[in-house]
Amino acid sequence: KWSAMTRGTRYLLIVVLREKTLGQIAVTITAHRALDPSDKESHPLPLVEPLAVARENGTIYVYAPESLEIIADEKGLQGAQPARPEPNTPPAIGVARLASAWSYTQHPEIPVRTERKPTRLTAAVATSTNIRQDLTEVTTIVNYLVQFAGTDTLRLAVPEQVAADVQIESADPAAAPIKQKSRADAAE
């Protein structure tokens, strides 16, 4: 069982075992703190500090979604150094990927800030042309890959001579539906 009490600006967690124990005891503590991606200030990682121990050492793994860049403030870094992850360390947990790893031999302070990566849009285009005696029919499939941040607008450039007859539809009915198809006055 465990209990918590306030100690200054921190909580003191007390873990009580059923009986006196010798040897290694592993305790997993899971917590979270919201980080505002628009906040440009560095904030220390919220690390648990074991109290009344003769020695503290360990490894810290920072996981973040692909859309966030985690930037450590080198000036405020204390007691930790970048580390290579152990071979059995998972490269991702859910949608979060391993962003950085740190090792330490005394309780560290690792100030970080987050930056949202801008939307990255890539496209794979496949076009087939069917030429008949009186008509040329062009069918193009554009597969977009939207990364890091969602978008609700896609732009396509088409030749002016066919712009009036363009038909746009979703190639995958299960994908995001097309809300509006509009034509700009001229290409940018």
Side-chain angles (χ1 to χ4, degrees), residues 39-59:
D39 186 1
K40 299 299 179 197
E41 295 293 315
S42 294
H43 299 282
L45 289 176
L47 303 175
V48 173
E49 181 180 1
L51 301 176
V53 296
R55 189 178 83 179
E56 178 184 354
N57 63 350
T59 307

Side-chain angles (χ1 to χ4, degrees), residues 166-184:
V166 168
Q167 296 177 12
I168 300 172
E169 57 190 42
S170 178
D172 180 5
I178 296 174
K179 179 179 175 183
Q180 176 182 351
K181 303 171 218 174
S182 60
R183 180 178 163 186

Side-chain angles (χ1 to χ4, degrees), residues 26-44:
V27 177
T28 301
I29 301 164
T30 304
H32 72 276
R33 183 179 107 205
L35 292 175
D36 182 1
S38 64
D39 186 1
K40 299 299 179 197
E41 295 293 315
S42 294
H43 299 282

Side-chain angles (χ1 to χ4, degrees), residues 13-96:
L13 297 177
I14 300 169
V15 178
V16 180
L17 304 175
R18 277 187 258 188
E19 57 189 48
K20 288 187 178 186
T21 306
L22 286 174
Q24 187 170 345
I25 302 170
V27 177
T28 301
I29 301 164
T30 304
H32 72 276
R33 183 179 107 205
L35 292 175
D36 182 1
S38 64
D39 186 1
K40 299 299 179 197
E41 295 293 315
S42 294
H43 299 282
L45 289 176
L47 303 175
V48 173
E49 181 180 1
L51 301 176
V53 296
R55 189 178 83 179
E56 178 184 354
N57 63 350
T59 307
I60 299 164
Y61 296 115
V62 178
Y63 288 85
E66 189 68 38
S67 62
L68 288 181
E69 190 71 40
I70 307 300
I71 302 160
D73 179 6
E74 300 292 328
K75 294 176 189 146
L77 184 64
Q78 296 176 8
Q81 52 278 343
R84 289 182 189 251
E86 295 292 323
N88 60 347
T89 303
I93 297 176
V95 297

Side-chain angles (χ1 to χ4, degrees), residues 97-119:
R97 53 108 170 81
L98 180 60
S100 64
W102 303 86
S103 65
Y104 63 94
T105 55
Q106 62 184 21
H107 189 73
E109 177 144 328
I110 305 172
V112 298
R113 65 184 170 85
T114 59
E115 282 186 11
R116 182 169 298 285
K117 293 179 184 178
T119 299

